[in-house]
Amino acid sequence: MYLLRLAFASLANRRFTALLTVCAIGLSICLLLAVERVRTEARASFANTISGTDLVVGARSGSINLLLYSVFRIGNATNNIRWESFEHFQAHPQVKWAIPLSLGDSHRGYRVLGTSPAYFTHYRYGRRQALAFSAGRPFADDPFDVVLGAEVAQALNYSPGTEIVLAHGVADISLVRHDDKPFRVVGILAPTGTPVDRTLHISLAGMEALHIDWRNGMPARGAARVSADEARAMALQPEAITAFLLGLKSRIATFAVQREINDYRAEPLLAILPGVALQELWGLMSTAERALLIVSMFVVLTGLVGMLTAILASLNERRREMAILRSVGARPAHVFGLLILEAGGIAAVGILLGVALLYLGIVLGRGWVQARYGLFLPLGLPSAHELTILAGIYAAAVTMGAAPAWRAYRQSLADGLSIRL
């Protein structure tokens, strides 16, 4: 207890240097914990980009490629699926719901997705959260209704009632636009932090209406051109789609239905479990994930080295203090313990400061982070993994503090008594 009071008094006497060291350690620990928590939640959020969907079905290719274009709107399908195949599995006795997906066009760099009203009813993300509207409604009978993702509406400053023109293809700048068939914004989805935010949603009839008068990849000219009003009067039904999502009545039937789809004789199809494919895709990014964690660990190490430097630098100024302690009866072990307590105290206060800064940051920014990036940052107690990291940092700080403590232990009496006034 005496050594503890002495260590506290010694740090108070050097409070400015000690405070700077505590702040450096606190900030580095806050960064490390923030990176670790964001990494953990980003992995959970990534795995929940799509939830509640049992199977994703597309043309036969690779599972990651199918996941990228059907869920993340990245890349293109190797082939389309016939509409009859979708109807066949939609009517399957084990299928509860089915969502068709048709990709192909874009608007100012954002992908356009053709789908059905079932998309807004059954699509889930995160922890089985349903899609919600911040304004407007889903598309209805008019094939030229469009529903915007939150990021699209915010970035392009669109609102319900705005007329927009879609472009052919997925390039940021397209030379071929569907000027004769403008769409009207009827709804804007609430932010999800998923690719839904970066997507324009139209009906399958709308996707067909865009290309009804196209031949060989080019729009028709003159009398062969079909106007928007003429397209509205037609019974538009797709001949092919890009992919579709399935929700089953029983999870037990997942593998049986998957095998049936993969063995479908009418055309080559691939059915994947989205959770498994998401984990495979995350595994491809594990190197960057580990690199980020290593960088954060080096930041913490820099803070601890700063603490070691401060203590070592103060030893020359404290030689008389150590000599006086020895002269009044302090044993070498007491001097050693004093330096260890100082290092441990600085590290402990730095850890507490880092944790406090982390929770302050979560309280102030969790709403913005969730709305902007779809990451839910919990305000719970530190996890077992985080406590293990903090314990390791504290042990490393005490171990590093042993170096100046050992030096003071060996040289305090000789150095102190040899000082000339």
Side-chain angles (χ1 to χ4, degrees):
M1 196 66 182
Y2 169 76
L3 277 180
L4 190 61
R5 290 198 303 269
L6 189 61
F8 179 78
S10 178
L11 290 174
N13 187 52
R14 297 175 289 107
R15 52 186 173 272
F16 183 72
T17 303
L19 183 61
L20 288 178
T21 306
V22 165
C23 288
I25 294 175
L27 289 173
S28 61
I29 288 175
C30 176
L31 175 62
L32 174 64
L33 292 179
V35 167
E36 181 63 21
R37 187 156 295 194
V38 168
R39 183 185 67 86
T40 302
E41 293 305 317
R43 183 168 191 164
S45 177
F46 183 85
N48 293 325
T49 300
I50 179 173
S51 65
T53 296
D54 295 306
L55 292 172
V56 179
V57 183
R60 191 167 296 171
S61 60
S63 58
I64 292 180
N65 182 50
L66 173 56
L67 184 76
L68 285 174
Y69 69 74
S70 62
V71 175
F72 291 94
R73 324 284 191 253
I74 299 174
N76 296 293
T78 56
N79 204 355
N80 284 332
I81 301 172
R82 291 194 313 228
W83 180 251
E84 290 78 10
S85 298
F86 168 73
E87 290 183 316
H88 173 81
F89 288 106
Q90 185 182 31
H92 194 284
Q94 291 292 342
V95 172
K96 184 177 181 180
W97 53 261
I99 300 175
L101 306 175
S102 183
L103 296 165
D105 289 339
S106 64
H107 176 72
R108 298 178 65 176
Y110 292 101
R111 296 296 293 266
V112 174
L113 172 68
T115 186
S116 69
Y119 179 87
F120 304 106
T121 304
H122 298 294
Y123 190 90
R124 296 291 185 271
Y125 70 95
R127 294 171 174 83
R128 290 185 175 268
Q129 296 169 262
L131 297 177
F133 281 80
S134 60
R137 56 170 176 80
F139 49 70
D141 297 330
D142 190 338
F144 297 105
D145 289 347
V146 58
V147 173
L148 306 181
E151 183 179 322
V152 179
Q154 183 180 11
L156 303 180
N157 196 27
Y158 289 162
S159 60
T162 303
E163 282 199 352
I164 63 174
V165 174
L166 305 183
H168 187 67
V170 297
D172 292 346
I173 299 175
S174 178
L175 300 178
V176 183
R177 305 176 67 205
H178 301 286
D179 301 273
D180 59 326
K181 298 180 181 68
F183 279 71
R184 182 172 59 92
V185 178
V186 297
I188 297 173
L189 293 169
T192 65
T194 70
V196 173
D197 296 344
R198 303 185 293 275
T199 306
L200 294 87
H201 307 84
I202 63 175
S203 65
L204 292 173
M207 185 67 79
E208 288 299 306
L210 285 174
H211 306 98
I212 195 170
D213 52 3
W214 280 53
R215 298 293 182 271
N216 300 319
M218 292 298 295
R221 301 292 180 185
R225 201 157 194 173
V226 178
S227 68
D229 291 334
E230 290 173 331
R232 284 188 177 96
M234 296 179 178
L236 299 170
Q237 181 174 300
E239 296 181 359
I241 57 175
T242 306
F244 59 90
L245 311 178
L246 291 180
L248 305 181
K249 296 176 181 178
S250 172
R251 300 292 295 274
I252 300 175
T254 301
F255 292 105
V257 176
Q258 182 187 28
R259 185 167 54 252
E260 185 177 340
I261 294 173
N262 291 337
D263 295 337
Y264 188 54
R265 292 183 178 274
E267 66 175 319
L269 299 178
L270 174 67
I272 63 171
L273 280 69
V276 174
L278 283 166
Q279 291 299 328
E280 290 179 5
L281 183 57
W282 183 264
L284 296 177
M285 300 182 290
S286 59
T287 302
E289 179 187 7
R290 288 194 295 268
L292 187 62
L293 184 61
I294 290 172
V295 169
S296 302
M297 292 297 294
F298 272 110
V299 172
V300 174
L301 180 62
T302 301
L304 295 180
V305 170
M307 177 196 73
L308 175 63
T309 303
I311 295 176
L312 284 172
S314 68
L315 285 182
N316 286 334
E317 302 173 3
R318 300 173 64 189
R319 286 187 298 175
R320 180 172 293 278
E321 174 189 340
M322 300 301 172
I324 292 174
L325 288 175
R326 292 291 302 275
S327 67
V328 297
R331 298 178 180 178
H334 292 155
V335 176
F336 183 88
L338 175 64
L339 271 294
I340 289 291
L341 283 174
E342 288 185 13
I346 290 174
V349 176
I351 289 173
L352 292 176
L353 177 62
V355 173
L357 289 174
L358 172 69
Y359 282 100
L360 178 62
I362 291 176
V363 169
L364 296 178
R366 64 188 304 193
W368 180 81
V369 170
Q370 185 170 14
R372 183 79 175 178
Y373 301 104
L375 291 179
F376 175 74
L377 299 178
L379 199 61
L381 295 174
S383 65
H385 180 60
E386 291 173 338
L387 290 176
T388 301
I389 291 176
L390 294 178
I393 292 173
Y394 185 78
V398 173
T399 301
M400 294 178 74
W406 178 256
R407 181 178 176 183
Y409 170 82
R410 294 292 302 271
Q411 300 179 0
S412 59
L413 182 60
D415 286 350
L417 294 178
S418 65
I419 294 177
R420 295 182 178 180
L421 297 178

